[in-house]
Amino acid sequence: MRYVRFLPANGLLLGITLLVNGSAFAGDFTVKAATVIEMKAVYGQVESRTIVPARARISGTITEVRVTEGQVVKKGDVVATVVDDKIALQLRAADAKIGALNSQMENAKTDLQRAQDLLAKGAATQSRVDAAQTQFDVITSQLAAAIAEKAVTQQSAKEGDTLAPADGRVLTVPVTAGSVIMAGETVARIASGQYYLRLSLPERHATEITEGAQVDIAERGIGVEGGFIKARQGRIAKVYPEIENGRVIADVEVADIGSFFVNERTLVSIPVAKRTVLGVPPQAVSTVHGIDYVTVDAADGPLGVAVVLGERYQDGGQPRVEVLTGLAEGDKVVLP
């Protein structure tokens, strides 16, 4: 049996003694300085890499809207249908014109055949045959042009369907059925890119923010007052070189960000500084009457030293508790 005195950091005797069995100590731990990364919880805003508009290709009246906010669409899906009543009239006019030209072409073909027959009998001149051939060729070209014009009108009718330009989620639909819209106006906005988090940090952290650094993302809906609960991990993909209004802008990539809303804010814990600390294993600390003690291997045997503790951290995968005062680097701590 031996007695160990517990002394505060200033060396004054507390008058507290503990009866310690000599076999109660498992070994020594040498106090060494370690570098830890300080984390700061900030709000990050969910953004989409690209937001593309689905635009009307023709002017007219919207007869049907097929999507709503939040709906997931694929590239080429019909977002809305725009109808221009003039297109139907243009198609009927094109059909009538084609019919008239078909009749003229039949007459020109008959005249050409008659002129060729008379020329063979010697009752007509070559100039008459040439004139009939020219008339037939002109009407044939006019018919081809009328058919092409009808195809253009038919294509315009098909372009009444407003298509999704890319895969994504519909953010807004600023139109309703019955609205009059012009060609080029936006029918819906679609978030088509991968979601990421945009951070806005104070300028004092500019030198500590580096691309590739790992960050922690909190559970959705958790505020600062609720404590930080890690849900997933990401990395800083880009740090913008321009400081805006005293803020550093950085983007965080997350492999599976979940079902966040665009522009939703969530807590992100980011590394902002490094500091050197002294720490011991948590089991090396004992508490007596509300005061924390660490047993140090002194020249005359184990000695209890009062310490002030800080935060817990990991050193090489091992848990440590920071010691603010009471120990110096190189001290040998006796582990129970």
Side-chain angles (χ1 to χ4, degrees):
M1 296 289 186
R2 56 180 175 177
Y3 292 93
V4 178
R5 293 173 299 136
F6 281 83
L7 300 178
N10 59 9
L12 296 178
L13 181 64
L14 280 176
I16 301 175
T17 60
L18 291 180
L19 185 62
V20 180
N21 191 318
S23 62
F25 299 104
D28 292 340
F29 171 82
T30 302
V31 178
K32 296 180 180 178
T35 300
V36 298
I37 299 176
E38 288 190 357
M39 306 294 287
K40 179 180 178 63
V42 298
Y43 277 105
Q45 184 166 296
V46 180
E47 303 277 357
S48 176
R49 286 293 177 195
T50 55
I51 298 178
V52 294
R55 300 183 184 275
R57 296 182 288 176
I58 64 171
S59 301
T61 303
I62 297 177
T63 59
E64 182 182 12
V65 179
R66 302 189 184 182
V67 297
T68 59
E69 290 82 353
Q71 182 175 338
V72 177
V73 296
K74 296 292 185 181
K75 181 178 180 180
D77 287 352
V78 177
V79 174
T81 301
V82 180
V83 173
D84 185 355
D85 294 334
K86 296 189 298 295
I87 292 179
L89 300 176
Q90 291 170 357
L91 286 175
R92 286 199 292 269
D95 288 336
K97 184 176 181 181
I98 290 172
L101 289 173
N102 278 324
S103 300
Q104 294 178 24
M105 189 177 67
E106 290 296 328
N107 291 335
K109 185 177 181 181
T110 303
D111 290 342
L112 177 59
Q113 185 63 46
R114 185 181 298 113
Q116 289 174 343
D117 292 343
L118 292 174
L119 179 62
K121 296 177 181 179
T125 60
Q126 182 63 41
S127 60
R128 180 179 176 181
V129 175
D130 294 340
Q133 182 66 51
T134 301
Q135 182 66 19
F136 178 79
D137 294 340
V138 168
I139 295 176
T140 302
S141 298
Q142 291 176 347
L143 179 61
I147 293 175
E149 289 176 359
K150 180 183 178 181
V152 171
T153 305
Q154 289 174 330
Q155 181 62 32
S156 297
K158 292 179 181 179
E159 291 180 351
D161 289 337
T162 302
L163 307 179
D167 298 349
R169 180 181 294 179
V170 178
L171 296 181
T172 57
V173 184
V175 297
T176 59
S179 302
V180 176
I181 195 168
M182 302 299 292
E185 289 190 34
T186 299
V187 176
R189 293 171 59 247
I190 300 172
S192 61
Q194 180 183 1
Y195 287 1
Y196 67 97
L197 291 173
R198 173 153 292 179
L199 308 180
S200 179
L201 310 172
E203 183 179 349
R204 64 180 179 272
H205 299 312
T207 58
E208 299 294 337
I209 301 300
T210 58
E211 294 184 3
Q214 299 295 319
V215 301
D216 298 330
I217 292 92
E219 288 186 358
R220 187 178 182 186
I222 299 297
V224 177
E225 66 281 355
F228 189 92
I229 303 176
K230 179 180 176 181
R232 54 183 60 85
Q233 195 173 52
R235 72 177 188 89
I236 298 178
K238 177 184 277 189
V239 179
Y240 289 87
E242 183 179 10
I243 294 178
E244 300 179 1
N245 299 323
R247 313 290 291 183
V248 180
I249 307 300
D251 291 345
V252 175
E253 286 186 350
V254 188
D256 183 16
I257 199 170
S259 58
F260 282 90
F261 293 104
V262 175
N263 295 330
E264 182 177 351
R265 300 174 68 205
T266 187
L267 276 180
V268 180
S269 180
I270 63 171
V272 294
K274 295 180 181 179
R275 60 189 178 91
T276 302
V277 299
L278 298 177
V280 296
Q283 64 268 25
V285 180
S286 59
T287 303
V288 179
H289 299 303
I291 300 176
D292 296 319
Y293 292 92
V294 172
T295 303
V296 178
D297 188 6
D300 56 349
L303 179 66
V305 177
V307 294
V308 177
L309 303 181
E311 299 179 353
R312 291 177 178 261
Y313 65 95
Q314 295 286 327
D315 184 12
Q318 299 298 320
R320 298 285 186 264
V321 59
E322 180 183 1
V323 178
L324 300 177
T325 61
L327 296 180
E329 188 173 3
D331 289 345
K332 293 187 180 296
V333 175
V334 179
L335 299 179

